[in-house]
Amino acid sequence: PKSSNYRREVTEAAVRATLAAVARFERGEGPPPAVPDPRGRLRPLMKADQRRIDWQHMGMAEVLRHLHAADGSPGVPDELFGTPCRLYNGHAQPLGTAHEPGRVIAQHEGGLLRATHDGAVWIGHVRRSDIDKPLKLPATQVFAEQAAALPAWPLPGEASEPACRDL
């Protein structure tokens, strides 16, 4: 997810740069030579429709790229159980058997498992778009009634896939 860049890569790079600057200062050296502008070029902002997921045609990796690019804010616009919402916190789930792409096939510890043509993706959090001032909550909390009707995904060491009803 994009927020991990700030917690990991950017923080680690800042610490390395600070330590290098302190070492140069201790050696009596000045600042390093100027480098070309590293910012690259500006690109237009990505529109919500460009972040939409095509569950029928996108695979696990592409769905995750969309979810990670919009994680934190603004989320990926989509629908779950016929309700418009924004999706967050995606994780890959390889499957041993094929399921209908786009179908929600299981639930576990707050997440809903949605099939792609080559596996499935866990949707951890959802924010409904059809209500005033919605909160971002665990997916199974937002869709509690629908989640209760889904099989629970097994924990490690249990069967590799649940016996999904009516799939």
Side-chain angles (χ1 to χ4, degrees):
K2 65 181 182 179
S3 59
S4 74
N5 290 335
Y6 304 107
R7 288 192 293 271
R8 295 187 192 124
E9 291 89 351
V10 173
T11 301
E12 290 171 8
V15 169
R16 284 194 304 273
T18 301
L19 293 173
V22 169
R24 277 194 310 277
F25 179 79
E26 287 175 337
R27 291 189 304 266
E29 299 173 10
V35 295
D37 189 350
R39 291 180 291 177
R41 65 175 201 240
L42 292 177
R43 295 185 175 265
L45 294 175
M46 184 180 254
K47 306 284 187 223
D49 283 341
Q50 294 172 301
R51 289 190 301 272
R52 288 197 183 278
I53 295 171
D54 181 350
W55 291 97
Q56 299 302 311
H57 298 100
M58 291 181 178
M60 250 188 333
E62 191 172 3
V63 168
L64 285 174
R65 279 195 304 275
H66 281 248
L67 288 166
H68 290 169
D71 202 40
S73 183
V76 173
D78 202 5
E79 274 191 14
L80 277 172
F81 307 107
T83 303
C85 55
R86 300 237 173 211
L87 309 180
Y88 305 86
N89 195 20
H91 301 278
Q93 177 67 59
L95 297 178
T97 58
H99 296 276
E100 178 187 341
R103 184 152 191 176
V104 181
I105 59 175
Q107 55 85 18
H108 184 72
E109 294 188 4
L112 295 172
L113 186 61
R114 194 162 185 187
T116 63
H117 67 80
D118 63 349
V121 173
W122 284 104
I123 306 298
H125 289 83
V126 173
R127 184 169 43 102
R128 288 180 57 165
S129 302
D130 64 337
I131 59 175
D132 218 18
K133 299 184 181 178
L135 296 174
K136 183 166 100 174
L137 297 167
T140 57
Q141 184 176 342
V142 174
F143 296 104
E145 185 177 319
Q146 296 90 335
L150 293 169
W153 195 258
L155 295 171
E158 296 177 2
S160 61
E161 289 185 34
C164 296
R165 294 172 271 170
D166 302 320
L167 296 180

